[in-house]
Amino acid sequence: MLYIKCPHCGLRSQNEFAYGGDASVKRPELNKEISDQEWDEFVYLRKSPRGKHLELWHHVSGCRQWIKVLRDTSTHEIFNTYKSEEKVG
Amino acid sequence: MLQNYRLDKIGLVNREKQLSFKFNGKKYFGYEGDTLASALIANGVHLVGRSFKYHRPRGFFGAGVDEPYAIVQLYRNGETEPNVRATEQELFEGLEAKSVNCWPSVNFDIGAINNFLNIFLPAGFYYKTFMWPRSFWYRIYEPFIRKAAGFGVASKEHDKERYEHKYEYCDLLIAGSGPSGLASAYAAAKNGARVILAEDKPRFGGSLLTSDVSINNQSGKEWADNIITELKGMTNVTVKNRAQIFGYYDHNMLVMSERVTDHLPKSEEFTPKQRLWYIRAKQVVISSGSIERPIVFGNNDTPGVVLASAAKEYMKIYGVLVGKKPVVFTNNDSAYETAIEFKKNKINPIVLDSRQDSNSEIIKEAKSLGIDIKFSHVVVAAKGYKKVKSCDIAEISEDKQNLNQIKNIECDCICVSGFWTPTIHLASQSGGKTKFKEEIDAFVPDKSKQKEVTLGSANGVFTLEETLKTSFDKGFELSKSITNNNNSQQIPKVSEKKHSKHDKFWCVPLPKGKKYKRFLDFQNDVAVSDIELAIREGYRSIEHVKRYTTLGMATDQGKTSNLNGLQLVSNIENKVVPAVGHTTFRPPYTPISIGAIVGREIGKHSKPTRKSPMHNWHEKNNAVFVDAGVWLRPRYYKRGNEGLFEASKREAENVRKNVGVCDVTTLGKIDVKGPDAAEFLNRVYTNAWLKLPVGKARYGVMLREDGIVMDDGTTTRISENHYHMTTTTAQAANVLSHLEYYLQLVWPELDVNVVSTTEQWAGAAIAGPKSRDLLQKLFPDTDVSNEGLPFMGFVEANLFGVNARIFRISFSGELAYEVNVESDNGNFMWEKIIEIGKDFDLQPYGTEALSTLRIEMGHVAGSELDGRTIPYDTGLDGLVSKKKDFIGKRSLLKKAYNEKDRQRLVGVVPLDKKTSIPEGSHLVKDPKGKLPNPKLGHISASCWSVEHNNPFSLAILKDGKNMIGSKLYAMSPLKNKTIAVEIVSSHYVDPKGERVRS
């Protein structure tokens, strides 16, 4: 079970969190005309990298904040965690 | 009753307390502190089971967790448990156990015929045999294999025992209380660290209990006892025996199984049988010790062949002899401790040492005691079927290839030692690499991956002096890094006998013309010849060899067999062992009972139960409850002999005719507040929200980004910047996460806050033509007329001194209101409604009537919004704004979502107006069509329409818009029903929606 450092609450066990997928995905702006392909990529297509992955976790059983976690998908090493508004990299 | 193999004085069992027990129906006696194994051996019982494949007789091989043979079926307190290791099960008064894998009895076992047919049961037997014909698999082969597989039988009864989970945090977790565990625990604890020390066995001390050493002029055991006593007295230390750390998971999370009452006749009330500990440790010390490995020789599975260390443990801990005419067969010095212990107890052992000579301290001692030692000698084969009666021994050449002067000697046990294998399971599970250590012919942990260190013999260190020194140092160093304290302990003085080098010899060659079975894996009957065959057949990877031959599988996971298997493969392939590599170590280290894994989360505790504030009233008034997510909701209120159908029909009819009240507390409620709340709702819902005035509610539909309907509900503008959102009961949590996602990550510029208020409000829906009259009586000071409180209106009011919110919204399609009060006042509100409602023939109604009312109105719910439907499918397309953008809108342009014959919500009525259509039925054109019969749609919800007094269903039907009036068939293969139906409008009652506005 992962041990995730919530930037608001501190170290908490994984069972307090829900996984939220790739954190680098950006929702297309409202009212902007975009192609079918761009939209499909946003809705459906995700990379599944082996190694470093910036991902979203929701501290559902804690402060209810969405946070960003930089994690290695194969070793589960967590390099850093960020608040939702923090810029990463 | 005589315990013929019990020694007089030595051992740690309590001779004051005799215990009786039964094995295979026969009564025996042992002592408190015995294991089932030691008590049986004390009584001269060596035949305890039959092997897996050949049904060969099985005895005891070890004295602990590594035991491959002595697996029994245990009976305790009216329950039965399979796969219990007799070497670990402590004796208690009245214990009962039986042999497994034998029929009709362990002495006369029909299956033993396999032993004589073994030429037909080679490696990969199942793969080779049960391939064809294919059709035989389900009917014949699989049932046959199932019957033959496994040891023992699982109970079919509900397990009445209690199991618990516990979460714990510590600075230092120490796995194993041998010398390295004790030393590191002591050093760390004295330096202020929070320590958990776990010992698998009942007694602390590990090898110190049986080894001939002195520490600070005390025996090993005395020193261990003193350390443990001191540790137990420290508030920063938790010491647990009967506790096996079996898994090392991510981020230094380890799981420990504590056998709390397995050693007692029964568990006390509220005491668990076992407890699973989830421990998050800052640092981990793996002091799991090592397991002696056997030397392979002919018939080495005969009962009476035991590990030399186990023979010593049976003597020194239990005061029990594994035999009275022992042969000790070794390639190293450690087995001499066993020989010396025999001699001290007036038993004369013969030692066969595969080495040419050795003159270390311990061998000198053995010689001086007059022990018969034969160097360059080996056991060729054990003789005897159900117990060793003699063995063939021989002189072995220097290159270990040739046997000379084979002769038979009498003996009743063979104590074998092929040196020691470090127990590296935990270190490997943590993700760390292993390395092969030439000097000990075994793998040890390489670089740690997580915050862990392996010490003592688990790390391949076999001298006590070095073990204690490194363990004291490590315990201090690790604790210092956590506590910043600087209290180091003095390392004790050690006296131990120096051992000379072991011999790399591990397998006795077959004499010419002999075909003895030489077993590698004792639990699975994997012999040398099986591995040779697998390699001849082309298996190369050790992982494949394992699965093909079953080497190292099953309950013992090859604790005594893996390394010899690797030796053999590397010999055949002319490789070195590290080039062959080892199979992966996976948790659990030992079998863990399912009950312990599940813990307390069983039955009604498998999930939380949520109850509304009015729950007690429902209970008192004969409500029959139904699970709605984690909520308990009244399904109907039973009167007299009514069943579900009669009661729900009565309740629904009364709503249509008079007035009913329904507990709607469970609906999700979310407060949406902030200057940008209107803009936010406008983006979340498909319809327009910017112009909703204060004091008005609106029905809204929200989508996921892929265009699928996520949820629906009404949201009310309480004040300028304050909205009260409702969600369905099931989606409440998801919707809140969804809103938080968009507010925190996508549109952080919006000044809006959301919070769940589901538990803050109790809700009652009052529905029916008489609901306004009732409401007026409940709120005499409030204008609830059609003008004062129009459809979709909202007003705050006073309910006999209690603040209330009245929403004029309707799920039933009748004139209806929803009243909310703070949860603490929920019951007060409910009782007032019931009391005053009497004058209007009010009846409470449950979820079944609620469903009936919404279905015949054509209102959609979870069964239509099932995660596969878009607004058009459910007839909600009128609520989709063409002007503004919102979550999921772009997806609605998808081609598939705009096909002309897109599925759509319809009503379905059986032609006979009598037969109810099972939910989930498929709608087809031709009931006798060839399979697969094209499915045009499915029945999503069914009810008995109280308005029309006939069955009515909702369905999602392909091209539903143009199908009204057509005739189809509803087929339910599950219920074996085919019903001729007519497709009608989904609005079966009040299609113009006049009642809600009346």
Side-chain angles (χ1 to χ4, degrees):
Chain A
M1 198 182 337
L2 305 185
Y3 209 27
I4 301 170
K5 187 175 179 180
C6 171
H8 308 279
C9 310
L11 278 166
R12 294 290 190 276
S13 275
Q14 183 185 342
N15 50 1
E16 290 187 13
F17 295 85
Y19 180 67
D22 186 348
S24 65
V25 174
K26 261 198 87 74
R27 191 193 190 279
E29 276 171 46
L30 287 168
N31 299 311
K32 193 183 151 199
E33 286 228 353
I34 58 167
S35 67
D36 284 351
Q37 195 186 333
E38 276 175 276
W39 182 255
D40 275 6
E41 274 172 17
F42 158 66
V43 175
Y44 298 108
L45 299 182
R46 295 291 180 272
K47 290 204 177 86
S48 181
R50 182 178 192 273
K52 274 192 183 178
H53 188 227
L54 186 69
E55 51 203 23
L56 293 171
W57 288 77
H58 190 198
H59 198 184
V60 275
S61 301
C63 62
R64 296 210 60 95
Q65 294 299 303
W66 285 87
I67 63 168
K68 293 175 189 167
V69 176
L70 187 61
R71 183 179 70 105
D72 189 306
T73 55
S74 72
T75 65
H76 296 312
E77 182 177 353
I78 291 176
F79 305 100
N80 213 341
T81 56
Y82 311 87
K83 292 179 183 173
S84 61
E85 69 272 20
E86 271 181 84
K87 288 267 173 288
V88 181
Chain B
M1 286 285 154
L2 291 173
Q3 298 181 35
N4 275 328
Y5 289 80
R6 183 79 71 175
L7 293 162
D8 274 345
K9 290 194 180 96
I10 73 161
L12 308 176
V13 295
N14 177 13
R15 286 165 202 261
E16 305 290 304
K17 194 155 179 202
Q18 187 170 266
L19 303 172
S20 73
F21 68 102
K22 270 188 186 167
F23 184 67
N24 287 334
K26 201 174 162 196
K27 193 172 181 181
Y28 300 97
F29 290 93
Y31 294 119
E32 187 181 75
D34 263 326
T35 59
L36 175 58
S38 69
L40 283 170
I41 296 172
N43 285 282
V45 178
H46 279 269
L47 179 62
V48 288
R50 292 282 175 158
S51 75
F52 189 61
K53 203 156 102 182
Y54 303 130
H55 289 246
R56 287 165 70 109
R58 285 289 182 250
F60 303 96
F61 192 64
V65 67
D66 49 323
E67 176 62 38
Y69 295 157
I71 311 285
V72 298
Q73 184 87 20
L74 187 77
Y75 299 84
R76 171 182 178 269
N77 195 24
E79 305 209 332
T80 180
E81 195 178 329
N83 285 327
V84 171
R85 278 180 296 279
T87 52
E88 288 199 294
Q89 177 60 51
E90 291 169 68
L91 202 63
F92 53 76
E93 178 59 39
L95 179 149
E96 275 192 70
K98 278 183 188 160
S99 298
V100 295
N101 214 32
C102 54
W103 184 84
S105 80
V106 70
N107 254 309
F108 177 74
D109 174 25
I110 297 266
I113 197 160
N114 285 1
N115 189 28
F116 303 101
L117 301 176
N118 70 54
I119 191 159
F120 301 117
L121 291 167
F125 169 70
Y126 290 97
Y127 304 115
K128 288 167 181 161
T129 311
F130 297 113
M131 297 292 291
W132 21 249
R134 257 186 103 79
S135 60
F136 270 39
W137 177 253
Y138 286 109
R139 279 185 300 123
I140 297 168
Y141 294 153
E142 210 225 350
F144 168 76
I145 294 170
R146 285 230 175 272
K147 197 160 176 285
F151 294 101
V153 280
S155 170
K156 285 178 183 159
E157 304 293 310
H158 170 73
D159 188 346
K160 292 191 284 288
E161 295 284 354
R162 185 186 175 101
Y163 299 86
E164 284 181 357
H165 287 178
K166 185 178 165 78
Y167 292 83
E168 194 55 272
Y169 296 82
C170 67
D171 294 333
L172 214 63
L173 173 64
I174 296 167
S177 76
S180 49
L182 287 177
S184 50
Y186 189 72
K190 283 285 186 184
N191 202 29
R194 286 188 306 153
V195 172
I196 297 175
L197 174 62
E199 170 57 47
D200 168 38
K201 295 200 165 192
R203 297 174 184 85
F204 296 98
S207 63
L208 292 173
L209 296 175
T210 55
S211 56
D212 185 17
V213 295
S214 87
I215 305 172
N216 281 350
N217 295 322
Q218 301 167 318
S219 75
K221 182 182 177 300
E222 283 165 350
W223 184 78
D225 286 348
N226 290 335
I227 294 275
I228 282 292
T229 308
E230 200 171 335
L231 287 175
K232 279 182 175 169
M234 296 172 74
T235 52
N236 55 330
V237 181
T238 304
V239 172
K240 284 282 162 192
N241 58 341
R242 304 184 178 100
Q244 174 77 60
I245 294 175
F246 66 79
Y248 199 136
Y249 299 90
D250 291 310
H251 298 180
N252 263 29
M253 160 73 81
L254 290 95
V255 186
M256 173 170 96
S257 153
E258 184 190 1
R259 303 183 306 276
V260 184
T261 55
D262 278 354
H263 62 294
L264 301 174
K266 62 180 206 180
S267 316
E268 278 171 39
E269 204 180 2
F270 305 125
T271 306
K273 183 171 192 281
Q274 295 175 0
R275 183 182 288 129
L276 217 61
W277 294 54
Y278 293 87
I279 305 171
R280 187 81 70 178
K282 285 186 184 145
Q283 293 283 351
V284 174
V285 170
I286 299 167
S287 45
S288 44
S290 50
I291 291 173
E292 199 168 35
R293 59 178 181 261
I295 300 176
V296 179
F297 57 87
N299 300 330
N300 55 338
D301 64 329
T302 312
V305 178
V306 298
L307 289 171
S309 57
K312 183 175 70 169
E313 193 169 331
Y314 283 119
M315 281 186 277
K316 291 194 86 163
I317 292 184
Y318 305 102
V320 165
L321 287 170
V322 294
K324 292 179 181 175
K325 267 189 212 165
V327 163
V328 176
F329 176 26
T330 182
N331 68 358
N332 69 86
D333 279 2
S334 70
Y336 283 84
E337 291 184 13
T338 308
I340 290 168
E341 194 59 37
F342 271 120
K343 188 76 185 174
K344 282 184 183 165
N345 288 292
K346 305 195 172 63
I347 300 287
N348 285 317
I350 298 172
V351 179
L352 306 180
D353 194 325
S354 69
R355 297 174 293 184
Q356 285 179 293
D357 197 11
S358 171
N359 216 1
S360 61
E361 217 178 332
I362 193 163
I363 290 175
K364 279 180 190 158
E365 185 187 347
K367 281 179 180 166
S368 74
L369 287 167
I371 293 173
D372 183 2
I373 302 171
K374 296 182 196 301
F375 285 106
S376 294
H377 269 73
V378 296
V379 173
V380 178
K383 302 276 163 153
Y385 182 54
K386 290 175 189 167
K387 179 76 199 290
V388 172
K389 289 195 175 112
S390 68
C391 62
D392 283 353
I393 67 169
E395 202 179 84
I396 192 159
S397 61
E398 198 180 336
D399 63 0
K400 312 288 193 214
Q401 298 299 315
N402 299 305
L403 301 169
N404 300 310
Q405 297 172 347
I406 298 177
K407 63 175 182 183
N408 186 266
I409 60 169
E410 245 187 80
C411 64
D412 64 355
C413 68
I414 301 170
C415 308
V416 62
S417 174
F419 207 55
W420 295 81
T421 307
T423 303
I424 58 170
H425 298 64
L426 288 177
S428 180
Q429 286 173 19
S430 88
K433 296 262 179 249
T434 60
K435 64 182 173 200
F436 192 74
K437 201 170 172 186
E438 273 312 320
E439 310 94 270
I440 62 166
D441 291 326
F443 288 94
V444 292
D446 200 354
K447 213 169 157 245
S448 309
K449 191 190 145 214
Q450 302 199 38
K451 289 183 173 168
E452 106 266 352
V453 57
T454 305
L455 298 173
S457 66
N459 196 30
V461 176
F462 293 107
T463 69
L464 183 60
E465 191 173 2
E466 193 188 338
T467 292
L468 285 187
K469 188 181 174 317
T470 49
S471 303
F472 268 96
D473 287 349
K474 265 291 168 199
F476 171 69
E477 184 191 307
L478 292 175
S479 58
K480 190 181 168 189
S481 70
I482 296 166
T483 64
N484 285 324
N485 294 342
N486 215 355
N487 305 315
S488 64
Q489 303 301 306
Q490 203 175 0
I491 296 165
K493 270 209 194 78
V494 171
S495 134
E496 64 184 318
K497 294 198 176 69
K498 297 276 179 293
H499 287 189
S500 54
K501 251 177 84 69
H502 80 287
D503 188 0
K504 286 180 182 295
F505 176 70
W506 65 276
C507 182
V508 181
L510 281 179
K512 281 199 184 75
K514 297 287 184 188
K515 282 192 174 172
Y516 299 125
K517 280 256 170 217
R518 293 172 298 167
F519 285 96
L520 290 166
D521 186 306
F522 304 104
Q523 192 166 83
N524 281 341
D525 286 344
V526 181
V528 170
S529 52
D530 293 314
I531 302 287
E532 289 169 346
L533 178 66
I535 289 172
R536 276 205 306 280
E537 290 182 352
Y539 289 87
R540 288 294 174 271
S541 156
I542 189 67
E543 297 280 5
H544 291 160
V545 172
K546 168 180 172 172
R547 280 154 187 84
Y548 191 57
T549 62
T550 69
L551 172 79
M553 286 164 62
T555 66
D556 71 332
Q557 288 285 292
K559 290 183 180 71
T560 51
S561 64
N562 278 340
L563 217 65
N564 284 339
L566 296 182
Q567 287 281 7
L568 177 61
V569 173
S570 60
N571 284 10
I572 298 171
E573 300 224 292
N574 242 334
K575 285 181 183 167
V576 288
V577 172
V580 173
H582 56 73
T583 54
T584 311
F585 294 97
R586 292 192 180 88
Y589 173 66
T590 54
I592 303 301
S593 59
I594 301 287
I597 294 167
V598 175
R600 296 281 291 139
E601 289 156 25
I602 48 164
K604 76 169 197 170
H605 300 296
S606 59
K607 56 180 176 18
T609 303
R610 296 175 82 180
K611 295 173 181 173
S612 94
M614 289 84 95
H615 186 85
N616 287 349
W617 189 94
H618 303 320
E619 242 174 9
K620 270 184 228 151
N621 288 275
N622 298 325
V624 176
F625 291 94
V626 62
D627 289 323
V630 293
W631 289 93
L632 273 182
R633 296 189 72 178
R635 193 172 187 191
Y636 61 96
Y637 299 84
K638 193 180 169 75
R639 282 188 185 174
N641 292 328
E642 280 177 347
L644 169 69
F645 179 77
E646 294 82 16
S648 60
K649 190 162 169 263
R650 164 180 56 73
E651 291 168 8
E653 277 167 355
N654 192 59
V655 171
R656 293 268 184 253
K657 202 169 98 195
N658 298 309
V659 58
V661 60
C662 181
D663 186 346
V664 291
T665 302
T666 62
L667 280 187
K669 298 180 262 306
I670 297 169
D671 251 14
V672 183
K673 279 186 173 175
D676 297 322
E679 173 62 26
F680 180 55
L681 292 174
N682 208 42
R683 296 177 186 187
V684 166
Y685 283 123
T686 60
N687 47 344
W689 284 80
L690 294 178
K691 288 177 185 158
L692 181 73
V694 172
K696 277 287 201 178
R698 184 165 287 174
Y699 175 72
V701 175
M702 58 177 83
L703 309 186
R704 312 190 308 218
E705 291 287 17
D706 62 0
I708 299 289
V709 178
M710 181 177 184
D711 199 42
D712 68 341
T714 58
T715 291
T716 306
R717 192 167 198 172
I718 305 286
S719 65
E720 182 62 25
N721 294 329
H722 179 191
Y723 291 79
H724 172 80
M725 174 186 280
T726 65
T727 73
T728 58
T729 302
Q731 291 292 330
N734 289 344
V735 169
L736 184 63
S737 289
H738 177 77
L739 300 181
E740 285 166 337
Y741 175 90
Y742 283 93
L743 285 174
Q744 292 171 28
L745 292 159
V746 184
W747 304 310
E749 69 278 8
L750 291 184
D751 190 357
V752 178
N753 273 301
V754 289
V755 67
S756 165
T757 55
T758 302
E759 306 208 331
Q760 276 63 41
W761 297 99
I766 299 171
K770 294 182 186 168
S771 58
R772 182 180 291 129
D773 300 338
L774 169 59
L775 204 69
Q776 194 64 71
K777 286 237 171 175
L778 288 165
F779 300 96
D781 309 333
T782 306
D783 177 8
V784 296
S785 67
N786 207 14
E787 294 73 37
L789 184 56
F791 182 55
M792 295 312 250
F794 159 75
V795 67
E796 287 183 315
N798 182 314
L799 178 75
F800 303 102
V802 164
N803 290 329
R805 290 172 168 180
I806 311 171
F807 307 86
R808 187 171 162 192
I809 52 179
S810 177
F811 192 45
S812 58
E814 292 298 323
L815 170 66
Y817 303 86
E818 201 180 302
V819 182
N820 281 7
V821 296
E822 285 166 33
S823 287
D824 286 351
N825 299 323
N827 203 50
F828 171 80
M829 165 185 71
W830 187 266
E831 286 184 344
K832 276 286 172 208
I833 294 169
I834 296 287
E835 179 196 324
I836 295 171
K838 272 182 194 150
D839 296 344
F840 304 93
D841 299 312
L842 173 120
Q843 288 179 22
Y845 64 102
T847 55
E848 198 67 22
L850 184 75
S851 288
T852 296
L853 296 166
R854 74 94 184 167
I855 292 168
E856 64 177 5
M857 275 291 164
H859 288 170
V860 291
S863 47
E864 289 77 33
L865 311 178
D866 63 356
R868 296 179 295 181
T869 47
I870 58 171
Y872 177 87
D873 303 348
T874 46
L876 297 170
D877 42 325
L879 288 164
V880 175
S881 165
K882 297 218 162 52
K883 291 178 195 148
K884 56 143 196 173
D885 200 359
F886 54 85
I887 294 169
K889 183 176 190 185
R890 181 63 179 74
S891 287
L892 297 180
L893 297 177
K894 257 198 275 199
K895 193 164 163 257
Y897 288 178
N898 293 284
E899 298 283 357
K900 279 213 167 71
D901 59 353
R902 179 78 200 174
Q903 59 179 2
R904 177 117 170 149
L905 183 73
V906 294
V908 181
V909 179
L911 289 186
D912 67 0
K913 300 270 173 105
K914 273 184 214 148
T915 315
S916 287
I917 309 168
E919 290 175 352
S921 297
H922 283 195
L923 291 169
V924 299
K925 230 179 209 142
D926 177 6
K928 293 187 176 121
K930 223 180 123 205
L931 295 175
N933 199 345
K935 170 197 160 192
L936 302 176
H938 73 275
I939 301 292
S940 60
S942 290
C943 73
W944 186 272
S945 166
V946 289
E947 185 96 358
H948 296 276
N949 204 25
N950 58 253
F952 176 74
S953 298
L954 291 175
I956 310 275
L957 177 63
K958 192 173 180 186
D959 199 18
K961 204 170 189 173
N962 298 312
M963 294 290 279
I964 309 286
S966 50
K967 309 266 195 302
L968 294 174
Y969 292 88
M971 293 185 75
S972 172
L974 276 180
K975 300 268 164 86
N976 200 19
K977 271 188 180 175
T978 300
I979 303 158
V981 299
E982 184 183 359
I983 306 303
V984 299
S985 161
S986 58
H987 301 292
Y988 201 41
V989 173
D990 189 23
K992 287 184 184 155
E994 286 164 345
R995 295 182 194 177
V996 292
R997 293 179 174 82
S998 62

